[in-house]
Amino acid sequence: MSLTLPDFPWDSLNSHRERASEHPGGLIDLSVGSPIDPTPVVATEALTEAAQAPSYPLTAGSPELRAAMAAWWERRRNTGPLTSSEVMPSIGSKEMVGLLPTLLGVRSIDVVVIPEIAYPTYAIGAHVVGAQVVASDDPAQWPEGTKLIWVNSPGNPTGQVRDISYLRKALAVARKLGAVMVSDECYAELGWDNLSVPSLLDQEVTQGDRSGAISLYSTSKQSNLAGYRAALVAGDEALIHNLLLARKHMGLIVPAPIQAALTAVLGDDEHVALQKERYRVRRELMRDALLQAGFRIEHSDAGLYLWASRDEDCWDTVRWCAERGVLVTPGSFYGEAGSTFVRVALTVSDQNAEAVRDRFSP
Ligand SMILES: Cc1ncc(COP(=O)(O)O)c(C=O)c1O
C-alpha cells in the first residue's frame, strides 16, 4: 500500500547534476535554496544550554518560546499584540505546508487553492487528502467548495510580493467562501531595495480580526537554521487551538533544545540583518551574471531566488547552465506557467557567485 504521489522533482535533475559536476572548476549547485553560512552563535549557545532534555516538551511551545513568538510577530510583522494562544511552533515550515490540509480536516470533496506558480508542497498536501487542487492567483476565480487557500509572499520561486490590498481582498474572498486563508511568508525578512513585505496578519490587512487567517514563518533562511527545523505559526486562535490538538495527538512536537534556540533567534534582529546583507551582495553578483549572459529576470523583488528566463524551454536553459558547471531548477517544477524560466538560488558563496559570472560570460 502507498500514497500515490508524484516523483520528487529534484530527483529528475540527476543527469544534469552529473554533467555539471564534470566542469573542471567543480559543480556550483544553485538548484536548492539550502543555507550555506554558519548558524549564529545566539542559536548554538541556546541549543547547547538546553541540551539536557529528559522530559517531553510542550507541543504549544515553552512559555518563553510562546512569548518570543508573539513578540516577534508584533515587532517584525506588524500584527498588533498577539496572545500566546495565537501562536505555535512547527518542525520547520515544510511539514506545516504538507500536513495542513490533513490537520485542518480538508476532505476529498474540497478544493485547495494554490498559487499559479507554486512551491510543489502545497499541491502535495492537498493530494494526501485527495482534495482537488485549483491553481489561481485571482480571488475572483476561487471556486465554491474551496476550504483552504495558499498565498506565498514573497513567492518561491518568483520572488513576487503581495501588497496589502491584494491580501485584504484575498482574505475577504476566503471568508465569503468559508475557507481558511494561509500565507506562507518564510522569506519575509528578505525584501530587496527597501521593499517591505506585508504579512497576511498585518493590522492593515486584518484590522485586528484574524478569523480564518494563518501565517507561517521559518527561521531556516533568516538564521541559517534549516538543520534545526525551527518555524512558527500565528493567526486565528480557534484554528491554532485545533491544530495544536491534532499535533498533540500525533506527537508533532518541536524538540526542547530547538525550542530554546528558536526563542533565542527570535529575540535577536542583528544576525538577521547580517545574513540579509550577505544575500544582498550575492544577489547583485548573480543578477549581473545572469543579465550579462542575456537572461531576463522577472519579479525577484524579495526572497532567496532569481526567477530568470532565456525565453526558451526551461530544460534547454538547465542544460546550458549544466554545460557551464552550474545546476539550476527548471521552472516547470512549479507549474506550467513557469516552463520558460529557471530558478537560481542565492545560497552561494561570494567566490562561487563570481565564478558563475565568469562561466556565463559570453
Ligand atoms: C515557500 C516555502 N515554504 C516553506 C519552505 C520550508 O522551509 P522550512 O521547512 O525549512 O521551514 C520552503 C523552503 O524552501 C519554501 O520555499
Side-chain angles (χ1 to χ4, degrees):
M1 216 167 108
S2 74
L3 276 169
T4 43
L5 294 175
D7 291 335
F8 192 62
W10 275 262
D11 292 345
S12 65
L13 272 179
N14 285 344
S15 61
H16 294 285
R17 178 184 300 279
E18 277 166 27
R19 175 74 180 88
S21 301
E22 287 164 11
H23 192 278
L27 167 73
I28 299 178
D29 187 353
L30 309 178
S31 69
V32 186
S34 194
I36 54 163
D37 300 300
T39 298
V41 172
V42 63
T44 55
E45 276 183 1
L47 181 88
T48 310
E49 278 168 25
Q52 277 291 339
S55 311
Y56 286 105
L58 292 168
T59 309
S62 67
E64 297 77 21
L65 173 56
R66 276 184 273 170
M69 290 189 290
W72 182 86
W73 285 99
E74 181 175 3
R75 188 176 81 255
R76 303 299 303 175
R77 306 297 287 138
N78 195 37
T79 58
L82 298 180
T83 68
S84 59
S85 10
E86 293 174 291
V87 290
M88 60 175 237
S90 63
I91 312 163
S93 59
K94 185 168 182 174
E95 60 104 341
M96 280 300 292
V97 174
L99 284 176
L100 207 56
T102 304
L103 299 180
L104 287 174
V106 174
R107 296 160 307 162
S108 56
I109 53 163
D110 299 327
V111 174
V112 173
V113 169
I114 66 168
E116 279 164 32
I117 299 180
Y119 178 59
T121 316
Y122 305 123
I124 296 293
H127 289 318
V128 167
V129 297
Q132 189 195 332
V133 175
V134 170
S136 167
D137 297 334
D138 179 2
Q141 304 293 323
W142 296 346
E144 291 293 332
T146 300
K147 286 290 177 278
L148 173 60
I149 297 159
W150 283 105
V151 176
N152 176 211
S153 172
N156 173 9
T158 63
Q160 187 176 16
V161 172
R162 297 296 180 184
D163 63 15
I164 295 273
S165 87
Y166 179 88
L167 294 171
R168 245 192 228 156
K169 182 158 184 220
L171 184 56
V173 171
R175 284 177 176 155
K176 221 160 132 198
L177 290 165
V180 176
M181 175 103 232
V182 188
S183 177
D184 178 359
E185 303 172 358
C186 68
Y187 302 100
E189 289 278 5
L190 297 171
W192 305 117
D193 303 323
N194 297 319
L195 178 70
S196 89
V197 177
S199 172
L200 176 65
L201 301 179
D202 190 297
Q203 294 179 95
E204 283 193 51
V205 178
T206 64
Q207 315 291 327
D209 173 9
R210 291 181 275 277
S211 59
I214 291 181
S215 288
L216 311 185
Y217 188 66
S218 170
T219 58
S220 291
K221 309 292 164 56
Q222 68 149 47
S223 303
N224 300 317
L225 229 57
Y228 282 42
R229 314 308 300 131
L232 50 159
V233 183
D236 184 322
E237 189 171 355
L239 290 171
I240 297 280
H241 174 84
N242 294 344
L243 289 172
L244 277 174
L245 179 64
R247 294 173 72 81
K248 274 193 254 182
H249 279 303
M250 293 181 186
L252 293 168
I253 315 174
V254 176
I258 304 300
Q259 291 197 19
L262 180 55
T263 307
V265 295
L266 291 176
D268 180 68
D269 295 340
E270 212 173 296
H271 76 279
V272 182
L274 183 74
Q275 187 56 39
K276 182 175 177 183
E277 178 56 18
R278 289 185 184 126
Y279 284 132
R280 190 194 61 76
V281 170
R282 291 167 193 163
R283 181 174 178 272
E284 295 291 310
L285 289 168
M286 291 300 302
R287 238 178 130 253
D288 288 352
L290 291 167
L291 293 174
Q292 212 181 74
F295 284 74
R296 75 188 163 81
I297 295 173
E298 231 180 53
H299 300 305
S300 312
D301 303 312
L304 262 195
Y305 310 101
L306 293 171
W307 186 234
S309 176
R310 283 163 40 102
D311 293 310
E312 62 186 5
D313 184 86
C314 57
W315 286 103
D316 292 336
T317 312
V318 170
R319 196 168 303 112
W320 186 91
C321 293
E323 282 161 5
R324 289 157 182 80
V326 178
L327 193 65
V328 298
T329 315
S332 56
F333 282 7
Y334 307 92
E336 189 51 39
S339 62
T340 56
F341 281 80
V342 292
R343 190 194 75 168
V344 182
L346 300 177
T347 44
V348 56
S349 65
D350 296 0
Q351 194 189 355
N352 275 350
E354 277 165 21
V356 172
R357 192 178 48 196
D358 295 341
R359 292 184 191 188
F360 280 10
S361 70

